[in-house]
Amino acid sequence: MSRKTNRTVYLNGEYLPEGEAKVSIFDRGFLMADGVYEVTSVLGGKLLDFDGHAVRLERSLGELDMAAPISKEDLLEGHRELVRLNDINDGMIYLQITRGAPDDRDFVFPDPNETPSTIVLFTQNKPGMADSPVAKVGLKVISIEDQRWGRRDIKTVQLLYPSMGKMMAKAAGVDDAWLVEDGVVTEGTSNNAYIVKGGKIITRHLSNEILHGITRKAVLRFAREAQMEVEERAFTIEEAQGADEAFITSASTFVMPVVEVDGAAVGTGTPGPVAARLREIYLEESRKAAI
Amino acid sequence: MSRKTNRTVYLNGEYLPEGEAKVSIFDRGFLMADGVYEVTSVLGGKLLDFDGHAVRLERSLGELDMAAPISKEDLLEGHRELVRLNDINDGMIYLQITRGAPDDRDFVFPDPNETPSTIVLFTQNKPGMADSPVAKVGLKVISIEDQRWGRRDIKTVQLLYPSMGKMMAKAAGVDDAWLVEDGVVTEGTSNNAYIVKGGKIITRHLSNEILHGITRKAVLRFAREAQMEVEERAFTIEEAQGADEAFITSASTFVMPVVEVDGAAVGTGTPGPVAARLREIYLEESRKAAI
């Protein structure tokens, strides 16, 4: 996975050794975080919910007045070609699109006819990622203040605070952080957050305050199909600490139990049956529908 | 100024033609907005308040647990060499430092011993920038909601929202936007905001909510030395509309009058005497102290 392994990556229509994949210092992704991204998982050499990611990408681009610089078909072809070239059985494909590299730095958006977008795709090889032993143990999280900008529904590369949050978690000896705003949890640093109480799955409702998780959408659908009760509303850290179970979802962790919040065990302090069941259903259904 | 002109830029110790200055797609500045910047003005071939920018840069790096990858002396040498190579009489020097390009994308910070920072410097030539005719006319601004993250005191490259704000201003047919949070102005998209009422200069107090402007600091010092009254507190848009004058400060605009806020003329709707006087003092004193 390191640059020593010489992955092949995709940059603006070309397949290149990763060490040669470079962008201009004037790229607005580099100078102004003016870019969006998606991460799609690969299991058994096939893409999980590619359509969901493509639809969200299109929405992110639209919210930022960026034209879609590549068709969904070409994007799919790029993903598949990288899976093939890098021999990925299980892993992730990262996609980033920025507003390109104009002639000079300027807060005003460049004319898209003069400045083509930058498109980057690369793979991350994660053999056996669906059988992660972490799912058997669960994650410990701390809560931190949500300091991010107001449009978390747009999947931009403004990831400095989530990155700082992971470092705060690491410093506290735990795995991740849940972000709290106005007394309630928004989401995890790079995942959606859930609690289970009395058999009911509770997760924050969609708004500009949280990412509209592709895995979240699928998991909630599977939960409802399995006759589980779902309530979409904000919850507090105290409520999470008093819940029967907690878990997160994301494209790369699927469904992952959370067993401790701010030092307090959730439920029995071990992964609960609802998270385990949802993980099983999600992986099974996603594998079936993978392309 | 365009890439057609072939500026020489600085990248990680090398002086390169701008078209050859490229960073890895794995650079954390590109993938995660994990970088900080400064913009220093040049007048008469000399740097304005280089020390102030160097001190703030060090603070930004410290807040993000990034080591300073270059000494102040080498930074000054880099700035001066670019002024010389690009024959800059009046203009700006842009500096960006990111947490570098680790082997792979990860929210966890890379080990700084394995991943050196990325350092970029480039010039922008602006002949006669101190005599900008805009200063005689003044700027029109609109107010927009402040959607930025919570640590605006750290000068990070998370500039997507300020960039969107400039586009909103453009769409409204004006020059810039003032950001409003909890009913009061924080600052402009890339500048600090001021009003003048009854001879008193009012500008928001320093906190994590605004950039600690280098020009702000100098202008307030000059104002106090000239026996002008200064009050550091938040103000509303209504207060700005009812003020005698308004203006902004930044490293590249110095002191610039604001004559209209959300469609309402400020004072006479023309640049006022306080802003004009402060601009004059700032330019005179800064030129004297330039290095």
Side-chain angles (χ1 to χ4, degrees):
Chain A
M1 255 176 310
S2 88
R3 230 163 292 151
K4 300 144 202 160
T5 64
N6 216 12
R7 273 173 288 191
T8 296
V9 304
Y10 173 99
L11 174 61
N12 298 329
E14 285 188 277
Y15 294 89
L16 298 167
E18 57 183 322
E20 292 173 23
K22 295 183 176 190
V23 295
S24 167
I25 60 166
F26 291 97
D27 194 286
R28 288 177 61 94
F30 183 72
L31 294 180
M32 294 192 164
D34 189 5
V36 298
Y37 76 105
E38 286 292 333
V39 178
T40 302
S41 277
V42 179
L43 287 181
K46 288 183 173 176
L47 301 162
L48 265 57
D49 216 340
F50 176 81
D51 265 357
H53 290 284
V55 167
R56 185 171 61 186
L57 173 69
E58 191 173 10
R59 180 178 181 279
S60 292
L61 291 167
E63 291 294 313
L64 299 182
D65 290 322
M66 278 193 220
I70 183 167
S71 71
K72 196 170 133 185
E73 291 67 33
D74 288 345
L75 204 54
L76 177 56
E77 170 55 25
H79 278 65
R80 284 178 164 161
E81 185 65 5
L82 281 192
V83 166
R84 194 185 67 76
L85 290 168
N86 295 308
D87 198 18
I88 304 292
N89 194 51
D90 299 340
M92 279 113 77
I93 304 190
Y94 176 88
L95 157 70
Q96 180 170 333
I97 297 178
T98 79
R99 209 182 302 271
D103 280 341
D104 209 345
R105 179 179 183 271
D106 193 334
F107 280 74
V108 172
F109 296 171
D111 181 342
N113 297 313
E114 289 174 15
T115 303
S117 311
T118 298
I119 310 175
V120 167
L121 284 169
F122 61 81
T123 56
Q124 293 183 311
N125 193 25
K126 305 274 184 195
M129 74 186 288
D131 307 312
S132 168
V134 180
K136 305 271 190 296
V137 181
L139 303 175
K140 297 176 180 183
V141 304
I142 52 167
S143 66
I144 61 173
E145 193 188 344
D146 196 339
Q147 295 257 29
R148 297 172 302 162
W149 81 319
R151 292 300 305 275
R152 299 127 192 190
D153 59 309
I154 311 174
K155 202 167 166 70
T156 76
V157 294
Q158 295 180 118
L159 294 174
L160 179 53
Y161 192 68
S163 179
M164 292 166 75
K166 290 268 188 192
M167 295 307 288
M168 290 182 227
K170 208 179 163 190
V174 301
D175 304 292
D176 205 351
W178 278 8
L179 307 170
V180 174
E181 188 173 54
D182 299 328
V184 287
V185 173
T186 50
E187 57 191 334
T189 57
S190 57
N191 44 68
N192 290 117
Y194 306 72
I195 58 175
V196 182
K197 184 73 179 179
K200 189 192 289 179
I201 297 162
I202 300 162
T203 193
R204 189 165 175 132
H205 51 288
L206 295 182
S207 70
N208 289 354
E209 274 73 47
I210 67 167
L211 181 74
H212 299 191
I214 300 304
T215 310
R216 176 189 183 282
K217 189 179 177 181
V219 165
L220 292 187
R221 181 161 60 84
F222 297 142
R224 285 175 172 127
E225 285 173 5
Q227 312 299 326
M228 295 176 182
E229 195 183 349
V230 174
E231 188 177 2
E232 296 183 62
R233 64 161 174 89
F235 58 84
T236 65
I237 288 294
E238 293 66 36
E239 217 180 338
Q241 291 175 324
D244 303 325
E245 289 185 42
F247 61 91
I248 57 165
T249 64
S250 76
S252 55
T253 62
F254 315 119
V255 177
M256 188 63 76
V258 168
V259 297
E260 186 187 295
V261 176
D262 280 342
V266 177
T268 61
T270 55
V274 174
R277 179 76 188 118
L278 285 174
R279 182 177 175 90
E280 191 180 288
I281 300 176
Y282 175 77
L283 284 169
E284 189 180 318
E285 295 296 326
S286 298
R287 280 185 197 273
K288 267 192 236 168
I291 61 170
Chain B
M1 253 173 312
S2 87
R3 230 162 294 151
K4 299 144 202 160
T5 65
N6 216 12
R7 272 174 289 191
T8 297
V9 304
Y10 172 99
L11 174 61
N12 297 329
E14 284 188 281
Y15 293 91
L16 300 167
E18 58 184 320
E20 293 173 23
K22 295 183 176 188
V23 294
S24 166
I25 60 167
F26 291 97
D27 194 285
R28 288 177 61 95
F30 183 72
L31 293 180
M32 294 193 165
D34 189 5
V36 297
Y37 76 104
E38 287 291 334
V39 177
T40 302
S41 277
V42 179
L43 287 181
K46 289 183 172 176
L47 301 162
L48 264 57
D49 216 339
F50 176 80
D51 264 358
H53 290 284
V55 166
R56 184 171 63 187
L57 173 69
E58 192 174 9
R59 180 179 182 278
S60 291
L61 291 168
E63 291 295 312
L64 299 182
D65 290 324
M66 278 194 220
I70 182 168
S71 71
K72 197 171 132 185
E73 291 67 33
D74 287 346
L75 205 53
L76 177 57
E77 171 57 25
H79 278 66
R80 284 179 164 161
E81 185 65 4
L82 281 191
V83 166
R84 194 184 66 76
L85 290 168
N86 294 309
D87 200 17
I88 305 292
N89 194 52
D90 300 338
M92 279 113 76
I93 304 190
Y94 177 89
L95 158 70
Q96 180 170 332
I97 297 178
T98 79
R99 210 182 302 270
D103 280 341
D104 209 345
R105 179 179 182 273
D106 193 333
F107 280 74
V108 173
F109 296 171
D111 180 343
N113 297 314
E114 289 174 14
T115 303
S117 310
T118 299
I119 310 175
V120 167
L121 284 169
F122 61 80
T123 56
Q124 293 184 311
N125 193 25
K126 304 276 184 195
M129 75 186 286
D131 307 312
S132 168
V134 180
K136 305 272 190 296
V137 183
L139 302 175
K140 296 176 180 182
V141 303
I142 51 166
S143 66
I144 61 173
E145 192 188 344
D146 196 339
Q147 296 257 29
R148 297 171 303 162
W149 81 319
R151 293 299 307 274
R152 299 126 191 189
D153 58 309
I154 311 174
K155 202 167 167 69
T156 76
V157 295
Q158 294 179 119
L159 294 174
L160 178 54
Y161 192 69
S163 179
M164 292 165 75
K166 291 267 189 192
M167 295 306 288
M168 290 181 227
K170 207 180 165 188
V174 300
D175 305 293
D176 205 351
W178 279 8
L179 307 170
V180 174
E181 188 173 54
D182 300 328
V184 286
V185 174
T186 50
E187 57 191 334
T189 57
S190 58
N191 43 68
N192 290 117
Y194 304 73
I195 58 173
V196 182
K197 184 72 179 179
K200 188 191 290 178
I201 298 161
I202 300 163
T203 192
R204 190 166 174 132
H205 51 287
L206 296 183
S207 70
N208 289 354
E209 275 72 47
I210 66 167
L211 181 74
H212 299 191
I214 301 304
T215 309
R216 177 189 182 282
K217 187 179 178 182
V219 165
L220 291 187
R221 181 162 59 83
F222 297 142
R224 285 174 172 129
E225 285 174 3
Q227 311 299 326
M228 295 175 182
E229 196 183 348
V230 175
E231 188 178 2
E232 296 184 62
R233 64 161 174 88
F235 59 84
T236 65
I237 288 293
E238 292 66 35
E239 217 179 337
Q241 291 174 324
D244 302 326
E245 290 185 41
F247 61 92
I248 57 164
T249 64
S250 76
S252 55
T253 62
F254 315 119
V255 177
M256 188 63 77
V258 168
V259 297
E260 187 187 296
V261 176
D262 280 342
V266 177
T268 61
T270 56
V274 174
R277 179 74 188 120
L278 285 174
R279 182 177 174 89
E280 193 180 287
I281 300 176
Y282 176 77
L283 284 170
E284 190 180 316
E285 295 296 326
S286 298
R287 279 185 197 273
K288 266 193 236 167
I291 61 171

